[in-house]
Amino acid sequence: MCEHHHHPQHEEKNKYEQALCKYNTEVDDEQVKAAVAKLIAEKVPENDTPEVKKFLMGSVELTTLKTTDSEESVLRFTERVNEFESTYPDLPHVATICVYPCFASIVSQSLEVEGVEVACVSGSFPSSQALIEVKVAETALAVHDGATEIDIVMSVGKFLSGDYETVCDEISELKATCGDKKMKVILETGCLKTASNIKKASLLAMYAGADYIKTSTGKESPAATPEAAYVMCQAIKEYYDQTGIQIGFKPAGGLNTVHDALVYYTIVKEVLGEQWLTNQWLRLGTSRLANLLLSEVVGQETKFF
């Protein structure tokens, strides 16, 4: 199996290729598709409950990443989260507000709700096409301005070229820049195409220092898919079994319905188990889903956010 990662020009395998050799990364796409279809048909209905929907509300990363975002719009966005707590005292607040780094300070200064994280996309999101020095600077500034979590995009072009070492070195350097702040690595699974690539990218990101792995930026198509989620969760489980390190999971992009959210919840529950069913380990990157979940929980159409 390891010969797949052998480059004749490197007599020595680098540490990341050695790490990949501990896992089966030859994953069959058709088998994944079949397993996911079976899981959705058999297991999703039992999770379609008010309790699960409430839990999912508390896992939402309320996200605004628009070209038209402004200090005023982001302030209003944050104030909705502040108001939610008094309007719905019995419901869990969202997990995170996710914005561009230039809005980190306005969110962190105006957010009043205990326990809501301030996440920033960084490292030249969504393309990740920038010099590492620029990615480091942007990430350091976001943390300095109050970001408590950082979402970066793996260098997908370098990954697809087989340059795993540079991909991993960049992730490690950005994790070092984040310090004790959690870092999510976006794999952009729609660009990786195959289950094998998704498995390899997941493992490399975790070995390089990711605290979470995330499906997509939402700017490429397809974004999150249940199949990609299934492969990523399998990688998280195998990595945990091998290292004892628990890594979080975040599907993002294309979460358009409550059913979509229930599918991802079910995949996490079945592949990773109860230990991952907290809003520390499972996050949903979305803006429209919060209102849809809220509407179902309160029993009438509600556009709060």
Side-chain angles (χ1 to χ4, degrees):
M1 202 191 76
C2 286
E3 65 272 14
H4 294 295
H5 311 299
H6 190 68
H7 298 299
Q9 69 270 29
H10 294 308
E11 281 316 298
E12 283 291 291
K13 281 198 189 68
N14 67 51
K15 62 183 177 181
Y16 300 115
E17 288 174 334
Q18 286 171 1
L20 281 183
C21 283
K22 297 177 185 164
Y23 300 86
N24 174 22
T25 55
E26 301 306 310
V27 191
D28 184 290
D29 287 272
E30 289 310 312
Q31 281 176 349
V32 169
K33 205 173 254 171
V36 168
K38 183 174 189 294
L39 201 136
I40 291 173
E42 291 176 6
K43 300 290 187 182
V44 170
E46 71 196 40
N47 295 321
D48 190 351
T49 66
E51 293 73 45
V52 170
K53 288 169 194 169
K54 275 186 196 170
F55 163 78
L56 289 168
M57 282 191 64
S59 288
V60 163
E61 299 212 351
L62 204 61
T63 303
T64 183
L65 298 170
K66 298 199 285 281
T67 304
T68 51
D69 288 341
S70 64
E71 297 224 327
E72 294 74 31
S73 72
V74 171
L75 183 60
R76 281 198 303 276
F77 194 71
T78 309
E79 281 172 348
R80 294 310 277 162
V81 174
N82 291 339
E83 286 158 24
F84 184 85
E85 200 159 52
S86 49
T87 313
Y88 297 102
D90 302 332
L91 295 180
H93 58 66
V94 296
T96 312
I97 296 177
C98 183
V99 293
Y100 280 111
C102 49
F103 300 115
S105 60
I106 196 151
V107 175
S108 65
Q109 285 163 23
S110 54
L111 182 62
E112 291 158 12
V113 185
E114 211 47 50
V116 175
E117 303 289 347
V118 181
C120 284
V121 296
S122 181
S124 208
F125 176 96
S127 68
S128 197
Q129 298 288 17
L131 297 166
I132 184 63
E133 294 82 354
V134 174
K135 296 181 186 183
V136 166
E138 186 179 26
T139 302
L141 289 164
V143 169
H144 174 266
D145 284 348
T148 60
E149 297 185 349
I150 293 290
D151 292 27
I152 63 158
V153 184
M154 187 184 76
S155 288
V156 178
K158 291 187 177 81
F159 173 85
L160 293 171
S161 311
D163 185 2
Y164 298 163
E165 196 162 11
T166 305
V167 168
C168 292
D169 288 348
E170 284 195 1
I171 292 170
S172 296
E173 191 165 349
L174 289 168
K175 177 56 194 166
T177 308
C178 292
D180 60 355
K181 307 291 184 272
K182 295 271 194 296
M183 186 178 79
K184 307 184 200 98
V185 177
I186 304 166
L187 308 182
E188 202 65 285
T189 51
C191 296
L192 298 180
K193 304 283 191 262
T194 67
S196 270
N197 274 344
I198 293 169
K199 181 101 179 254
K200 286 176 195 163
S202 299
L203 291 163
L204 291 169
M206 292 187 284
Y207 270 97
D211 296 297
Y212 290 77
I213 52 175
K214 174 175 165 182
T215 57
S216 324
T217 59
K219 309 289 187 191
E220 292 279 345
S221 186
T225 65
E227 291 76 16
Y230 183 82
V231 174
M232 288 169 70
C233 288
Q234 280 193 315
I236 290 171
K237 183 175 187 347
E238 290 173 27
Y239 180 79
Y240 179 71
D241 291 344
Q242 187 83 239
T243 64
I245 299 168
Q246 188 171 1
I247 301 291
F249 173 62
K250 179 180 173 183
L255 276 69
N256 297 326
T257 64
V258 171
H259 182 261
D260 291 338
L262 293 172
V263 166
Y264 291 112
Y265 175 89
T266 303
I267 289 169
V268 170
K269 183 179 172 182
E270 296 300 321
V271 178
L272 290 169
E274 300 283 337
Q275 197 180 334
W276 268 262
L277 294 179
T278 75
N279 78 349
Q280 188 186 348
W281 300 108
L282 171 60
R283 297 286 181 73
L284 306 169
T286 177
S287 22
R288 62 176 73 94
L289 196 58
N291 285 324
L292 296 174
L293 284 164
L294 180 60
S295 300
E296 292 218 2
V297 168
V298 300
Q300 63 186 61
E301 194 183 341
T302 308
K303 286 200 160 61
F304 185 87
F305 294 107

